Amino acid sequence: GAVVSQHPSRVICKSGTSVKIECRSLDFQATTMFWYRQFPKQSLMLMATSNEGSKATYEQGVEKDKFLINHASLTLSTLTVTSAHPEDSSFYICSAIPGGAFYNEQFFGPGTRLTVL
Amino acid sequence: AQSVTQPDIHITVSEGASLELRCNYSYGATPYLFWYVQSPGQGLQLLLKYFSGDTLVQGIKGFEAEFKRSQSSFNLRKPSVHWSDAAEYFCAVAERGGGNKLTFGTGTQLKVEL
């Protein structure tokens, strides 16, 4: 099956620093990737849609200057949390959709646990 | 407003017992419907999906779900639960023509007693 990886799986950083999270589709090309945020014991909230070669589309209420998304290739999207603060601590999950059919299944990465001290 | 509701936050069942996890949605038109399972350290895995046609959908790991338009529901079932089924289960919907964007329910944590 299609595999999506995320790196790192866990990161701890100091308040005010920036953190980059990578999402890779390992065995397929992903024209579209999504970034989600999951708070403890809560659901996944869509943050943004990332399309290769174009600017990401952010959901309402998500600060685009805080959460920078770059989808530079068909297998890699990155999420950079800029000037991180403790309230940015969360579980970040990406998903990727292979190109093609009229509706495609999303394949999810294992997630990245971000802790901001 | 469009929403997905999973009324049960936690469910505990004995191994071998049957299972039903509830999911209700509120959308203008019937969306695409999904059930995912999330286990620690692993990405969300798709159990099954409903696009159209037969309202009883078979999925992986012995799961099935039934779409009921009149009740706006898409409940997940399994006739005999295994201890390895303990995980978090999410119902999700995607609006038809909505660009593959998923809206997730709040999840149901399943505990299996041996």
Side-chain angles (χ1 to χ4, degrees):
Chain A
V3 179
V4 176
S5 69
Q6 280 185 243
H7 178 78
S9 59
R10 191 179 291 266
V11 57
I12 300 173
C13 69
K14 293 181 178 180
S15 185
T17 61
S18 295
V19 174
K20 180 184 285 187
I21 302 170
E22 293 185 348
C23 176
R24 293 182 184 272
S25 55
L26 298 184
D27 49 5
F28 64 96
Q29 293 186 327
T31 54
T32 303
M33 289 183 170
F34 297 92
W35 286 95
Y36 296 85
R37 184 173 179 176
Q38 184 179 28
F39 291 100
K41 307 297 183 184
Q42 294 189 31
S43 184
L44 284 76
M45 301 298 295
L46 179 64
M47 298 174 66
T49 303
S50 169
N51 291 298
E52 187 268 338
S54 63
K55 289 185 178 181
T57 303
Y58 291 81
E59 295 299 300
Q60 191 172 11
V62 177
E63 300 174 61
K64 62 179 68 175
D65 294 330
K66 157 70 79 175
F67 300 101
L68 300 179
I69 292 172
N70 183 16
H71 194 156
S73 77
L74 286 172
T75 59
L76 174 64
S77 176
T78 59
L79 168 68
T80 301
V81 183
T82 63
S83 187
H85 291 282
E87 59 265 29
D88 299 323
S89 298
S90 193
F91 194 54
Y92 293 88
I93 300 172
C94 73
S95 70
I97 296 182
F102 95 103
Y103 187 89
N104 287 294
E105 176 183 343
Q106 292 187 31
F107 295 92
F108 287 83
T112 296
R113 173 79 57 196
L114 171 62
T115 303
V116 184
L117 303 177
Chain B
Q2 299 169 336
S3 65
V4 182
T5 303
Q6 292 181 245
D8 304 304
I9 299 174
H10 300 280
I11 282 186
T12 300
V13 299
S14 300
E15 188 175 37
S18 64
L19 171 70
E20 182 169 32
L21 303 183
R22 296 182 290 165
C23 174
N24 293 92
Y25 63 89
S26 175
Y27 272 73
T30 301
Y32 301 127
L33 299 159
F34 307 83
W35 274 99
Y36 286 88
V37 59
Q38 184 181 36
S39 300
Q42 300 182 23
L44 274 78
Q45 182 179 25
L46 180 67
L47 290 175
L48 45 77
K49 60 191 176 188
Y50 173 78
F51 286 178
S52 64
D54 193 346
T55 57
L56 185 62
V57 180
Q58 301 298 319
I60 62 171
K61 302 185 179 185
F63 286 93
E64 67 178 26
E66 185 172 12
F67 167 61
K68 293 186 177 180
R69 184 188 306 274
S70 62
Q71 298 177 19
S72 297
S73 69
F74 188 56
N75 294 348
L76 182 71
R77 301 194 294 247
K78 187 170 185 178
S80 178
V81 170
H82 189 263
W83 64 267
S84 60
D85 293 325
E88 185 91 22
Y89 291 81
F90 291 96
C91 179
V93 304
E95 189 174 0
R96 293 175 187 264
N100 299 320
K101 289 166 56 173
L102 288 173
T103 299
F104 284 85
T106 49
T108 298
Q109 182 71 47
L110 173 65
K111 180 180 177 182
V112 180
E113 291 182 331
L114 300 177

